[in-house]
Amino acid sequence: MGSKVFVIRAKNSEIILLSTEYHGFSQKLLFKCSCGQNFEKTFTKFKKNNQRNCSDCVAPRASR
């Protein structure tokens, strides 16, 4: 089976994709945040849920 290459471009983002292979939507991919810290997210969370920062850069959520 041939390999697929994906390019992720997030608007106004300095996130870098470090993973070189994609094996499915549930696989965690390695990214580098604009602050320099590496973090992992699934492609679905990164794309659809806008989880595009490391845990240090994420704004705290308001409690319910």
Side-chain angles (χ1 to χ4, degrees):
M1 181 180 212
S3 62
K4 296 179 182 177
V5 176
F6 293 88
V7 176
I8 297 174
R9 294 182 188 185
K11 291 181 181 177
N12 300 323
S13 179
E14 296 179 14
I15 305 299
I16 299 170
L17 175 63
L18 299 176
S19 295
T20 58
E21 296 181 8
Y22 178 75
H23 297 286
F25 68 92
S26 63
Q27 174 199 356
K28 289 189 175 184
L29 300 172
L30 184 63
F31 296 92
K32 185 170 209 163
C33 186
S34 58
C35 72
Q37 182 173 332
N38 293 347
F39 67 99
E40 292 183 322
K41 294 283 179 186
T42 63
F43 181 71
T44 303
K45 287 183 177 181
F46 181 84
K47 185 170 188 223
K48 295 188 178 183
N49 296 341
N50 291 321
Q51 295 183 10
R52 296 184 178 150
N53 292 316
C54 67
S55 58
D56 292 340
C57 294
V58 173
R61 290 183 176 188
S63 61
R64 294 184 181 195

